[in-house]
Amino acid sequence: PYDLVHKWSNKPTLVVIDNVETVEELALFLNSSGESCLWLITTQKIDIFANCNDLKLIELTPLNKQESVAALKKPFEGKGQIDKNDEKKIEELADLLYDWPLLLNLALKDIQGQMNMPHYPKPKAVIENLTKNIKDWMKFDHENKISVTIEKNLKYLTREEKEYFKELFIFTADIDIPYSIIEKLWNLSDIKINVDILCRKLYYLSLLKKYDISQQVIQLHTHLRRYFLSKNETKKYLAEINKKFVEYYAEQYNLNSPENLPDNLPLQEKNFLLRVYKHHWRLARKC
């Protein structure tokens, strides 16, 4: 969103965001748009647009079985004869993928990749292997697996360490968060803690995506953040933490607007705040 504002806000721009899942993800970009910005957003959760006005919705229906079968057969054309048994297996694969549009797309890419090889396999082998992989995927309880892993690793943290870790999720995943920012966040409480030691511990427990001691930054996992934000009590807790974080900068530097960040901040910290502070300011004002 920061790059969007600073590079494209004054130019006629089409922004495409694919497969948005939460209101927070949507707001992060919409709050950063310029007047010349046009949006094309895809989602499977239409309720995230509940508070959006003047919205043009285009509902897309999934392919029917006949269309799915035709799509799955297409990569095999000109690559060898498909017999009746192969066609039956393609129909079974289409039935398997019917309620999973994303899987149909992945299946097609897999077939195309194999059939474009110099020495491509027989259609029967491709279809049977793909069907097995899809069935294995559908048996895997993804959310439950994540939940069990997180809770198991959290047992190695003290109660205070768990609270500090949870506070990090006021920030977006997959971006570098400087130590100086984390230190200010964690020092809002009465108990002081060593940022590097705890970040290193979190990283070795696979609770951080990135830990770079030379650059003094970390990154959060997207799945972990979604896991914590799926709980209403955690959302309320993080809203309060975010408010305290924003108030710290407002009071410390006498800010009356998110636009007026002080010049005497460390460069890494200021660059980070330029990217995210306006978003945190807006969220804090809603509390």
Side-chain angles (χ1 to χ4, degrees):
Y2 173 79
D3 293 335
L4 183 63
V5 168
H6 286 266
K7 294 181 181 179
W8 301 100
S9 61
N10 296 320
K11 302 175 184 178
T13 307
L14 171 65
V15 180
V16 181
I17 311 180
D18 188 34
N19 199 26
V20 178
E21 295 187 358
T22 67
V23 174
E24 289 79 12
E25 288 176 340
L26 182 65
L28 192 64
F29 282 91
L30 292 186
N31 289 337
S32 307
S33 62
E35 293 182 359
S36 301
C37 192
L38 185 67
W39 298 89
L40 175 60
I41 303 166
T42 71
T43 184
Q44 297 183 51
K45 299 180 180 179
I46 198 67
D47 56 307
I48 69 172
F49 295 109
N51 296 323
C52 296
N53 299 320
D54 301 324
L55 193 69
K56 183 177 180 181
L57 292 177
I58 304 172
E59 292 193 35
L60 302 179
T61 57
L63 299 178
N64 60 35
K65 182 179 176 180
Q66 185 177 0
E67 291 168 332
S68 296
V69 169
L72 290 167
K73 288 171 67 175
K74 186 73 175 176
F76 295 110
E77 291 181 1
K79 302 287 186 176
Q81 186 66 34
I82 297 179
D83 58 31
K84 289 185 178 180
N85 189 46
D86 293 334
E87 289 187 3
K88 185 178 179 181
K89 289 184 180 296
I90 290 176
E91 289 180 5
E92 292 173 357
L93 179 58
D95 284 334
L96 198 62
L97 299 169
Y98 182 72
D99 292 325
W100 301 85
L102 177 61
L103 281 184
L104 176 59
N105 186 42
L106 294 175
L108 282 169
K109 287 182 179 179
D110 184 83
I111 295 172
Q112 289 166 352
Q114 293 191 62
M115 299 312 293
N116 286 334
M117 292 191 298
H119 303 288
Y120 48 82
K122 292 182 178 180
K124 178 183 177 181
V126 175
I127 300 164
E128 288 181 347
N129 187 56
L130 186 55
T131 300
K132 179 182 179 301
N133 290 340
I134 296 296
K135 286 181 177 178
D136 288 343
W137 187 92
M138 293 175 75
K139 287 178 184 176
F140 179 64
D141 188 345
H142 189 59
E143 293 300 324
N144 186 54
K145 189 77 173 178
I146 290 175
S147 174
V148 170
T149 303
I150 293 170
E151 294 302 328
K152 186 175 180 180
N153 288 352
L154 287 176
K155 290 179 181 178
Y156 293 97
L157 300 176
T158 65
R159 183 180 62 82
E160 289 82 9
E161 288 172 338
K162 287 178 185 177
E163 292 301 307
Y164 281 122
F165 175 53
K166 194 187 297 183
E167 289 175 5
L168 292 176
F169 290 96
I170 67 169
F171 301 121
T172 306
D174 302 324
I175 62 171
D176 286 347
I177 307 171
Y179 276 16
S180 58
I181 292 288
I182 300 169
E183 188 173 28
K184 287 181 173 62
L185 176 67
W186 286 350
N187 284 343
L188 293 175
S189 65
D190 296 330
I191 304 172
K192 301 296 182 269
I193 194 164
N194 186 300
V195 172
D196 180 57
I197 290 176
L198 181 52
C199 286
R200 188 187 314 155
K201 184 176 182 179
L202 294 171
Y203 181 72
Y204 287 125
L205 287 173
S206 299
L207 295 171
L208 294 179
K209 179 180 179 181
K210 175 181 176 181
Y211 161 78
D212 189 329
I213 190 170
S214 62
Q215 297 294 321
Q216 294 201 313
V217 294
I218 66 163
Q219 279 189 19
L220 302 171
H221 283 288
T222 299
H223 288 302
L224 275 173
R225 190 170 188 273
R226 286 177 181 169
Y227 170 79
F228 282 107
L229 291 179
S230 66
K231 303 176 182 181
N232 286 330
E233 62 272 19
T234 305
K235 284 184 179 180
K236 293 177 182 178
Y237 173 73
L238 290 178
E240 289 302 316
I241 296 298
N242 179 70
K243 189 174 181 180
K244 289 181 180 179
F245 178 73
V246 169
E247 287 174 351
Y248 165 82
Y249 279 96
E251 294 172 4
Q252 186 78 10
Y253 299 100
N254 195 26
L255 301 181
N256 55 16
S257 165
E259 309 287 349
N260 303 326
L261 289 171
D263 293 324
N264 59 339
L265 289 171
L267 182 60
Q268 190 181 44
E269 183 177 340
K270 185 172 183 179
N271 286 340
F272 178 80
L273 290 173
L274 282 171
R275 296 174 74 94
V276 306
Y277 189 69
K278 189 184 294 185
H279 173 66
H280 288 281
W281 176 285
R282 289 195 180 108
L283 291 179
R285 290 174 70 87
K286 291 179 182 178
C287 291

